[in-house]
C-alpha cells in the first residue's frame, strides 16, 4: 500500500515521500497562481480552481490568500464562497455542499498527529475527512478538526473550534463548538 493510499484510508502514513511531495508542490504552485490573480479576473481564477480542486461547482469564489495541501481532495458545491486567508489541509477528502459561506481566517484541517511522541517523531500522521452540508455559514476564525461532519443549514459562530459533529439547522459556537439552539422561523426575518 502506498503512503497516499494509507493517507486516504485514515491509516498512519509518512507525508515526506516523493509522490505526496510532488502533489503538494503542484498545489503550492496553483495556490500561488490563484493568489496572484486580481479579484476581477474571475474566469482566470476559475480556471486555476478547476485545475487545483477535485470538484468545483458553479459560482465558486475563493479570496486570497488561499492555501491547501493537495487541492485534489477538496470538493465544493454550487455558490461556494471562502473569504480571505482560508486554509484547507486536505490530506483526506474535504467536501462542501451547495451555498457554503466561509468568513475570513478559517481553517479546515483533516491532518492529525499521534499523541505519543515516538510515533509522531517518526514523521507519521493520519487524516480523517471533513464533510460540510448545504447552506452552512462559518463565522470568522473558525477551525474545523479532522473527522467532523457539519449538518446542512447550520451556522458556526466566529472563533469556534469544531472538534465533533454538528447536527443540521443549529447555531453552534464555542471551544469546543457545540450547538446552542436550533435555527428557527424568527431567524429567517432577522436583519
Amino acid at each position: 500500500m502506498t503512503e497516499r493510499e494509507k493517507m486516504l484510508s485514515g491509516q498512519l502514513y509518512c507525508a515526506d515521500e516523493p509522490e505526496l511531495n510532488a502533489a503538494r508542490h503542484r498545489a503550492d504552485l496553483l495556490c500561488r497562481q490563484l493568489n496572484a490573480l486580481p479579484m476581477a479576473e474571475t474566469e482566470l481564477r476559475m480556471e486555476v480552481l478547476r485545475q487545483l480542486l477535485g470538484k468545483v461547482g458553479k459560482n465558486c469564489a475563493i479570496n486570497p490568500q488561499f492555501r491547501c495541501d493537495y487541492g485534489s481532495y477538496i470538493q465544493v458545491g454550487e455558490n461556494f464562497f471562502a473569504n480571505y486567508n482560508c486554509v484547507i489541509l486536505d490530506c483526506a477528502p474535504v467536501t462542501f455542499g451547495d451555498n457554503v459561506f466561509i468568513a475570513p481566517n478559517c481553517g479546515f484541517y483533516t491532518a492529525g498527529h499521534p499523541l505519543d511522541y515516538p510515533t509522531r517523531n517518526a514523521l507519521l500522521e493520519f487524516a480523517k475527512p471533513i464533510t460540510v452540508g448545504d447552506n452552512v455559514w462559518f463565522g470568522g476564525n473558525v477551525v474545523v478538526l479532522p473527522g467532523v461532519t457539519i449538518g446542512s443549514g447550520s451556522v458556526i459562530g466566529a472563533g469556534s473550534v469544531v472538534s465533533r459533529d454538528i447536527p443540521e439547522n443549529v447555531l453552534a459556537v464555542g471551544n469546543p463548538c457545540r450547538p446552542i439552539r436550533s435555527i428557527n422561523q424568527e431567524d429567517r426575518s432577522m436583519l
Side-chain angles (χ1 to χ4, degrees), residues 26-27 30-31 34 45-57 60-62 66-77 80 82 86 88 90 94 96:
R26 176 189 173 277
L30 290 167
C31 284
L34 179 69
R45 294 179 66 78
M46 279 301 294
E47 282 181 37
V48 175
L49 284 172
R50 285 187 199 102
Q51 292 176 54
L52 177 61
L53 304 183
K55 177 189 169 222
V56 181
C60 175
I62 299 178
F66 174 70
R67 301 294 302 173
C68 64
D69 275 334
Y70 301 98
S72 56
Y73 306 118
I74 301 169
Q75 295 188 12
V76 300
F80 176 85
C86 182
I88 302 175
D90 62 318
V94 180
F96 296 96

Side-chain angles (χ1 to χ4, degrees), residues 1-15 17 19-20 70 73 91-93 125-127:
M1 183 176 271
T2 68
E3 296 305 307
R4 183 177 79 70
E5 290 169 335
K6 290 178 190 175
M7 176 182 79
L8 293 173
S9 68
Q11 298 179 45
L12 287 174
Y13 70 97
C14 179
E17 64 85 44
E19 180 187 13
L20 293 177
Y70 301 98
Y73 306 118
C91 304
E125 57 188 72
F126 62 89

Side-chain angles (χ1 to χ4, degrees), residues 137 153-155 169-172 180-191:
W137 174 31
S154 288
V155 175
N169 299 310
V170 297
L171 172 62
I180 58 170
R181 68 177 178 84
S182 294
I183 305 290
N184 57 45
Q185 190 62 32
E186 291 172 6
D187 295 318
R188 298 184 204 289
S189 61
M190 289 182 66
L191 295 178

Side-chain angles (χ1 to χ4, degrees), residues 21-33:
N21 284 336
R24 283 193 308 277
H25 293 311
R26 176 189 173 277
D28 176 60
L29 290 173
L30 290 167
C31 284
R32 289 175 187 274
Q33 287 178 20

